[in-house]
Amino acid sequence: MRIRTLLLKVALGILAVGTVAFMIFILPNIKELMQAVIPNMAILQPLTQAGLAGTGICFIYILFQTFKLILNIDRNEAFSESTIKCLKNIRNSGYVMTGIYVLLMPIIYLIAEFDDAPGLILFGAFFVFVAAVIVAFADVLNKLFANALAYKKENDLTI
């Protein structure tokens, strides 16, 4: 079990490093990329940067909460209040990410319209879908773990 959780921790670390690298090296250059694609819509550039920075921060927070969840599993405290709190935080952060991506969809539409690339809209919809799946999965796990914790507390009281 320790090897599996170690593998998950390493994967989370790689995702976190990749996200931070994106936010440091690529996100500042988004302005120039958008200037080349849609030069006459300067107001959209900072909005896009802010949206991508917001989703990056939410994603890093989700990774941190997932790391805490794995630590709970390592300590054999999978069915605890801390785990339920982590899952609620993941769900709420997923809601924020979904909302940001939905708000960015009109910008993606404008870029796709300008560049004549209708597949770009599907690409944007994919991110909305992934964020919504994170929300649904965290919510289902939250309810499952909450029920298991209630059964565990009930069993502790009967013994």
Side-chain angles (χ1 to χ4, degrees):
M1 185 71 153
R2 294 258 186 221
I3 293 173
R4 291 178 187 152
T5 56
L6 179 65
L7 181 66
L8 287 173
K9 289 176 191 175
V10 169
L12 289 174
I14 291 170
L15 285 171
V17 167
T19 304
V20 169
F22 172 81
M23 291 177 67
I24 291 173
F25 297 114
I26 296 176
L27 193 59
N29 298 327
I30 293 289
K31 187 174 182 179
E32 289 82 24
L33 292 172
M34 285 191 66
Q35 185 67 29
V37 175
I38 40 177
N40 55 349
M41 298 202 186
I43 188 74
L44 299 179
Q45 295 160 358
L47 292 175
T48 305
Q49 279 183 312
L52 291 176
T55 57
I57 291 168
C58 286
F59 188 68
I60 289 172
Y61 185 69
I62 286 174
L63 293 176
F64 174 70
Q65 292 298 318
T66 306
F67 187 79
K68 284 176 52 175
L69 194 64
I70 292 171
L71 289 178
N72 285 344
I73 292 170
D74 276 346
R75 291 186 298 242
N76 288 328
E77 297 174 3
F79 301 107
S80 66
E81 292 292 333
S82 175
T83 300
I84 293 171
K85 185 177 178 186
C86 288
L87 287 169
K88 283 182 183 179
N89 291 338
I90 291 170
R91 181 193 64 200
N92 292 339
S93 188
Y95 275 132
V96 172
M97 281 179 64
T98 304
I100 290 172
Y101 284 136
V102 166
L103 292 174
L104 287 177
M105 282 303 288
I107 296 172
I108 293 173
Y109 173 77
L110 289 174
I111 293 171
E113 191 71 27
F114 183 82
D115 206 26
D116 198 26
L120 191 60
I121 295 171
L122 291 175
F123 188 70
F126 171 76
F127 282 103
V128 172
F129 177 73
V130 167
V133 166
I134 289 172
V135 168
F137 189 67
D139 197 38
V140 166
L141 282 179
N142 185 24
K143 289 178 182 166
L144 179 72
F145 277 65
N147 288 339
L149 181 62
Y151 289 136
K152 181 182 175 216
K153 284 182 179 179
E154 186 177 320
N155 276 342
D156 289 345
L157 290 175
T158 14
I159 296 175

